[in-house]
Amino acid sequence: ELRDEILGWFGQDDALNPADFRSRGEAWEPLAGRTALVTAGPTHEPVDPVRYLGNRSSGLQGYAIASALAVLGARVTLVSGPVMLADPAGVDVVRVETGVEMERAVRTALPVDIAVCVAAVADWRIDGVSDRKIKKQAGAPPPVLTLVSNPDILAMLAAPGPERPALVVGFAAETNDVEAGAITKRARKGCDWIVANDVSTGTNVMGGQDNRVILITEDGPERWPLLAKTDLALRLAERIAAWFGTPVMATGGDRV
Amino acid sequence: ELRDEILGWFGQDDALNPADFRSRGEAWEPLAGRTALVTAGPTHEPVDPVRYLGNRSSGLQGYAIASALAVLGARVTLVSGPVMLADPAGVDVVRVETGVEMERAVRTALPVDIAVCVAAVADWRIDGVSDRKIKKQAGAPPPVLTLVSNPDILAMLAAPGPERPALVVGFAAETNDVEAGAITKRARKGCDWIVANDVSTGTNVMGGQDNRVILITEDGPERWPLLAKTDLALRLAERIAAWFGTPVMATGGDRV
């Protein structure tokens, strides 16, 4: 039933092996009393009323992490870009389209104890979105799309301040020098952990069911085996629970 | 059961009223012996391994037309961009990603008697697709995306030649001056009919279930009422059958 809970929205049943999990009993909720924010999916940055710049994120990994954190007892807000996935059970879902909308929804969700930024937010949006469909003009050269930087949600969350979550986890999708790129990204963004994966063509990570990552913490890189995205989500959620240590409400019995 | 056939892949049942249709009997197949090609969906034009330029076409209207033509007896090839729809029953589906791939698949499907170009093929693709993910560089300006024209599949099909389909129908998605734009497009492309619709924000045509169109033929514009996309598809398929007149195999009984 725990398995059902995490897999219900997922529509499948492969590779999740919550054996460790079960041995602790179904009521094991080490994140009870904690709040978490997860971002997931791509963003779509409009060019005009019909065209957009997008990316191939399916949202699966982020939805799985939101679900796993909720299963472990956290109160989770999932800010999701446009994906074809149903809302995970027990998670508050806020759906957005663009990076600017995602940043606004994230700020609204603060403060939280845990932030996990899985969304593949577009680094850039189109400068000067047209409110009319851009027409092909015979003989005229194609338009040039000028880009401007989108808000950096991970850096915003990781910046010191009264609303900084206790633990800020970023994802890095890399196609080259995955580990080195992720170590640099962790330092540059100021986040606590980076989960780095290789999204090169052929790895089938984007849109696929499995994921192989390197977790970068203050202790250095840690290579995880190839895991189903649901398994990876549970493992990450358990790591987060371990990082926090004693549950907030260890003595309480009043949490439903 | 006729209704089931056309709606089976569609997963819904609204607004289709095949009353006229039924009165002719279920075996009425005026397009028996004809071949048809339908394009549907958006194209995704890659920027790099994770990003692409896309558009908001759901593919619903094109899939409905392919299905309707097949129900009326045509042998249909559907060349589809990336959409979240199942293959319509009784239709050969070729799935592609980019405009260049779509053109190649369309050429492979020739010769046909009928071509209906519903796909929202990107007018442009990115000049110089990166085989690595483009990285955001601190302090550096955002990249500029230079576009080049994509193949014009409708114009290619409509051009005179031994493989020109007898009837070439294009779609025009407009946000302003819908009728005037469509009349101009019909002349410029050299196609026989244009089905023009208004995809302005708020019309909810893209991704929605209904569509309101103006059909432009050699006789001028004809305003159709607001119709479910499945209804519109049947009406268009019947118009196409009427244009062809006597079925090819009026005397034959050997078509299954």
Side-chain angles (χ1 to χ4, degrees), chain A residues 119-236:
Chain A
V121 182
D123 288 321
W124 304 286
R125 65 180 184 275
I126 312 296
D127 188 20
V129 175
S130 173
D131 59 3
R132 296 181 170 211
K133 184 182 171 192
I134 302 171
K135 308 282 287 186
K136 192 160 52 171
Q137 303 286 358
V144 170
L145 299 184
T146 304
L147 305 177
V148 293
S149 290
N150 245 347
D152 187 331
I153 296 174
L154 177 58
M156 180 270 284
L157 286 168
E163 291 211 317
R164 188 194 192 278
L167 183 67
V168 176
V169 183
F171 268 64
E174 308 276 346
T175 54
N176 300 84
D177 300 325
V178 175
E179 184 175 315
I183 289 172
T184 306
K185 181 169 181 173
R186 176 173 175 271
R188 194 176 64 241
K189 302 286 185 180
C191 60
D192 303 295
W193 298 353
I194 286 275
V195 182
N197 54 17
D198 183 349
V199 295
S200 304
T201 311
T203 60
N204 200 27
V205 164
M206 281 203 152
Q209 302 294 336
D210 297 332
N211 206 351
R212 187 197 302 273
V213 303
I214 303 173
L215 176 67
I216 316 278
T217 71
E218 63 276 26
D219 299 324
E222 196 179 295
R223 284 158 214 283
W224 287 14
L226 183 69
L227 294 168
K229 287 180 176 178
T230 43
D231 263 336
L232 194 153
L234 272 175
R235 188 163 166 163
L236 185 67

Side-chain angles (χ1 to χ4, degrees), chain B residues 4-11 60 63-65 67 85-89 230:
Chain B
D4 290 349
E5 188 175 348
I6 199 168
L7 289 177
W9 54 272
F10 209 85
L60 278 179
Y63 275 56
I65 290 168
S67 194
L85 298 171
D87 293 358
T230 43

Side-chain angles (χ1 to χ4, degrees), chain A residues 50-56 84 97 123-124 132-133 135-136 142-145 147 173-176 206, chain B residues 50-56 84 97 123-124 132-133 135-136 142-145 147 173-176:
Chain A
V50 297
R51 302 182 178 97
Y52 64 89
L53 195 61
N55 67 65
R56 300 181 194 285
M84 303 299 284
E97 184 100 1
D123 288 321
W124 304 286
R132 296 181 170 211
K133 184 182 171 192
K135 308 282 287 186
K136 192 160 52 171
V144 170
L145 299 184
L147 305 177
E174 308 276 346
T175 54
N176 300 84
M206 281 203 152
Chain B
V50 297
R51 301 183 179 97
Y52 65 89
L53 194 60
N55 66 66
R56 299 180 196 284
M84 303 301 283
E97 186 98 1
D123 287 321
W124 305 284
R132 296 180 170 212
K133 184 181 172 193
K135 309 282 286 187
K136 192 161 53 173
V144 170
L145 299 183
L147 305 178
E174 309 277 345
T175 52
N176 299 84

